[in-house]
Amino acid sequence: MVCYNFVGGGSGIGRATCQVLAREGASIIAADRNIKTAEDTVSQLLDKKENEHCSVHIDVSESKSVKEVLQEVLRKYNRPPTIIVNCAGITKDNFLLKMSEQDFEDVVNVNLKGTFLVTQTFAKAIIEKGLNQASIINISSIAARNGNIGQSNYSASKAGVELLTKTAAKELAQFGIRCNVVIPGFINTPIVNTIPPELKNRFIANISCKRMGEPQEVAEVITFLASEKSSYINSASIEVCGGLLSL
Ligand SMILES: NC(=O)c1ccc[n+]([C@@H]2O[C@H](COP(=O)([O-])OP(=O)(O)OC[C@H]3O[C@@H](n4cnc5c(N)ncnc54)[C@H](O)[C@@H]3O)[C@@H](O)[C@H]2O)c1
């Protein structure tokens, strides 16, 4: 049985990735801080493997929660997942001069520390079990490339995710674990719903494809990186941003 863990599977890119991976025959573990939306993700999966899918509550910023989820998964599947997709992410935007210490910490704790905790915890379990083939896909952001006004916390956390992933790739390749990072641009999910329409239109004018991306378009790339079709891709950063002209 191939088993996929899916962190942040309750919404947006995470939910779309659950759907695409399930379409490819995967067993889905939709893990999210919002258990209700994770349950909805699983109930909406269209394939016939319902028994092998499950949803779990996780708070990726808490090591205790991440470890508990690993134990729950081991009890249910008798092995750790060999595909880990770290999709959990938050924004708490403000100008640098106005940003509170709390908002800075919250974003770094979920986006960067959460990615670290999940990557470390599940990689250890994969190695301990002697599984020789696994793929970890982390999600950065185009905002990490050049910074973005109002997002000093988010941009910095996502830049960290990219370099964390590249370092993990170099350390974990010897155990058959590939690590790659996907860099979405401007994708049509709840996380961008807070952006005022006039600002959204300004962003779209700056994309050569002249539209926002859909979550499924990111999910297809994640699924490729999860599969053996990408067996020689390691430590890569793949932009899925419709040819953003500048940010
Ligand atoms: N949508 C975009 O334009 C865009 C662009 C670049 C990067 N991203 C990144 O892609 C990833 C997915 O974003 P999305 O657009 O699907 O957003 P989303 O808000 O739809 O989904 C994020 C999910 O993360 C979960 N989550 C938040 N904090 C958590 C925690 N502490 N523990 C576990 N789960 C938690 C949320 O409940 C939610 O289901 C994020 O990392 C985001 O930063 C998104």
Side-chain angles (χ1 to χ4, degrees), residues 67-135:
K67 286 189 176 118
E68 281 169 2
V69 167
L70 172 64
Q71 291 313 317
E72 202 174 326
V73 169
L74 289 177
R75 275 195 299 276
K76 186 169 170 60
Y77 296 94
N78 211 20
R79 44 162 274 182
T82 48
I83 292 177
I84 320 285
V85 185
N86 279 306
C87 252
I90 60 167
T91 53
K92 289 196 177 183
D93 296 352
N94 211 334
F95 297 117
L96 176 73
L97 296 180
K98 293 184 173 172
M99 184 165 294
S100 68
E101 188 175 344
Q102 191 63 57
D103 283 355
F104 188 87
E105 273 181 13
D106 287 350
V107 168
V108 169
N109 280 344
V110 174
N111 297 359
L112 179 56
K113 184 182 154 196
T115 302
F116 160 71
L117 289 173
V118 173
T119 301
Q120 185 192 55
T121 305
F122 282 83
K124 270 185 190 168
I126 290 165
I127 293 164
E128 272 163 25
K129 195 78 179 167
L131 305 175
N132 239 345
Q133 206 174 290
S135 176

Side-chain angles (χ1 to χ4, degrees), residues 7-15 31-35 37-38 57-62 65 86-91 106 109-111 114-115 139-143 154 158 182-192 195 212-213 215 218 240:
V7 179
S11 177
I13 295 168
R15 174 170 288 174
D32 202 289
R33 188 174 57 180
N34 186 336
I35 185 64
T37 56
H57 173 269
I58 192 170
D59 181 347
V60 295
S61 64
E62 300 283 342
S65 173
N86 279 306
C87 252
I90 60 167
T91 53
D106 287 350
N109 280 344
V110 174
N111 297 359
T115 302
I139 314 297
S140 177
S141 166
I142 202 72
Y154 183 77
K158 291 296 188 178
V182 170
I183 304 186
F186 198 40
I187 310 300
N188 188 16
T189 73
I191 214 170
V192 297
I195 301 172
M212 288 168 72
V218 183
V240 187

Side-chain angles (χ1 to χ4, degrees), residues 4-18:
Y4 298 87
N5 184 33
F6 205 77
V7 179
S11 177
I13 295 168
R15 174 170 288 174
T17 306
C18 288

